[in-house]
Amino acid sequence: MITETSRGPAKQKSGRRGRRPRFGRYALELVMIAVAVMFLFPVYALITLAMKDPQQISDSPLSLPSPPTFANFGNAWSSASLGAALLNSTVITAASLLILVVLGSTGAYYLARRARGIGYGLYILFLLGIVLPFQLGMIPLYKLVDDLGWLGTYQGMVLFYTGIQLPFTVFLYTGFIRALPQDYAQAALIDGCNHRQAFTRIVFPLLRPITGTVIILNAVFIWNDFFTPLLYLGGSDKETVPVGVFAFVGQYVSDYGLVFAGLVLAALPILLVFVVLQRYVIKGFAGGLKG
């Protein structure tokens, strides 16, 4: 009898202890569900408003469209010349990414292998480019582009984005290259390759994860940037998608159905790029943190 009664409270305590982790797990799941709903709500509002006419938006902006209309997408495409704007954004983004990948990877390879002396000094200089806000140089940069005669041109925007995003690109590549073993490149040099051949044939294919990270992060920034294209391309035929969507919003009249439809069309290309390259983002950051 004594042993049985002594075991009873022990069982009750163990049962209580077993319930606590399960309760904590359920609470964490509820918190994550709430966070997911918070992030998905703007997407719901964006798509819902894009499929409503002005009367439905004024009456019940957050309710489901009844009936949904897809006329806003066609009107947004034709009214704001989104076709030309998408082409302009694609050209500027693709050219900037190509230059950033080439310059960033080759420069980071040199900095990662020259950890002392001039290599370390240049690396610190690139880090200062990340810390200092680019708004401090907006007036000198605008003056420089104007003197070159590149206002309202693709090359002016590509030059701007390359200079602004190169420090961040070099930072990502350098951390990842430092985590790579040097044996591969050294073996290629022993076999008769020069440094350029060793980098292009051996090292660069190993940089695929961080290259995906560089592409998606820079692409999101360049594609969604509004202020710089408005300043450098305003009034020209090279306006990008954010500037084209801004044309829907006037001082006194705003057709929010067209605005949100234009935003959906503008987000689809960069969303597709993110879906394709998302698995490289975590790999790239993980490799950089190891270095």
Side-chain angles (χ1 to χ4, degrees):
M1 295 294 294
I2 297 175
T3 56
E4 289 180 358
T5 55
S6 61
R7 291 177 182 177
K11 291 182 179 180
Q12 292 179 359
K13 291 181 180 179
S14 61
R16 292 175 182 177
R17 291 178 181 177
R19 293 175 184 175
R20 290 178 183 176
R22 184 179 299 177
F23 176 78
R25 185 173 68 251
Y26 289 156
L28 181 61
E29 290 178 355
L30 291 176
V31 172
M32 297 306 297
I33 292 173
V35 172
V37 171
M38 291 175 58
F39 278 96
L40 289 175
F41 179 76
V43 179
Y44 164 79
L46 176 65
I47 299 176
T48 301
L49 293 173
M51 294 188 295
K52 288 184 176 182
D53 54 37
Q55 184 62 37
Q56 293 185 38
I57 294 176
S58 60
D59 292 341
S60 55
L62 296 181
S63 63
L64 291 174
S66 57
T69 177
F70 296 94
N72 290 331
F73 295 97
N75 294 334
W77 184 270
S78 58
S79 300
S81 301
L82 284 184
L86 285 171
L87 177 61
N88 295 332
S89 293
T90 303
V91 171
I92 293 173
T93 304
S96 301
L97 291 177
L98 178 61
I99 298 175
L100 284 171
V101 169
V102 173
L103 295 181
S105 60
T106 53
Y109 180 69
Y110 173 81
L111 297 177
R113 296 298 181 245
R114 294 287 299 271
R116 299 179 180 179
I118 188 173
Y120 182 76
L122 290 175
Y123 182 67
I124 296 299
L125 185 62
F126 276 106
L127 292 183
L128 290 177
I130 300 176
V131 175
L132 296 177
F134 74 91
Q135 289 84 356
L136 295 177
M138 287 302 299
I139 296 178
L141 288 173
Y142 184 87
K143 180 63 176 175
L144 174 62
V145 176
D146 188 18
D147 293 339
L148 293 173
W150 286 356
L151 288 178
T153 62
Y154 290 143
Q155 54 267 33
M157 294 302 303
V158 172
L159 176 66
F160 176 86
Y161 286 128
T162 302
I164 292 298
Q165 294 299 106
L166 188 59
F168 180 64
T169 302
V170 170
F171 171 74
L172 292 178
Y173 270 120
T174 303
F176 193 88
I177 292 174
R178 286 176 176 172
L180 291 178
Q182 301 185 22
D183 300 339
Y184 302 109
Q186 291 176 355
L189 295 174
I190 294 174
D191 291 339
C193 294
N194 55 35
H195 287 282
R196 180 182 60 83
Q197 292 172 339
F199 174 76
T200 56
R201 298 179 182 180
I202 305 299
V203 178
F204 188 75
L206 298 176
L207 302 180
R208 186 179 301 173
I210 193 61
T211 299
T213 304
V214 166
I215 290 175
I216 188 61
L217 294 181
N218 286 322
V220 169
F221 172 78
I222 296 172
W223 187 274
N224 294 330
D225 186 26
F226 169 73
F227 176 72
T228 306
L230 180 65
L231 183 63
Y232 285 72
L233 303 176
S236 67
D237 58 346
K238 301 294 191 299
E239 292 181 346
T240 58
V241 172
V243 180
V245 174
F246 180 71
F248 291 129
V249 183
Q251 185 176 5
Y252 301 104
V253 179
S254 298
D255 193 339
Y256 290 105
L258 294 181
V259 172
F260 286 101
L263 290 175
V264 171
L265 294 175
L268 286 178
I270 199 64
L271 180 62
L272 178 61
V273 174
F274 181 80
V275 170
V276 173
L277 299 178
Q278 63 175 338
R279 63 192 182 98
Y280 293 114
V281 176
I282 302 301
K283 291 181 180 180
F285 277 121
L289 292 175
K290 290 179 182 178

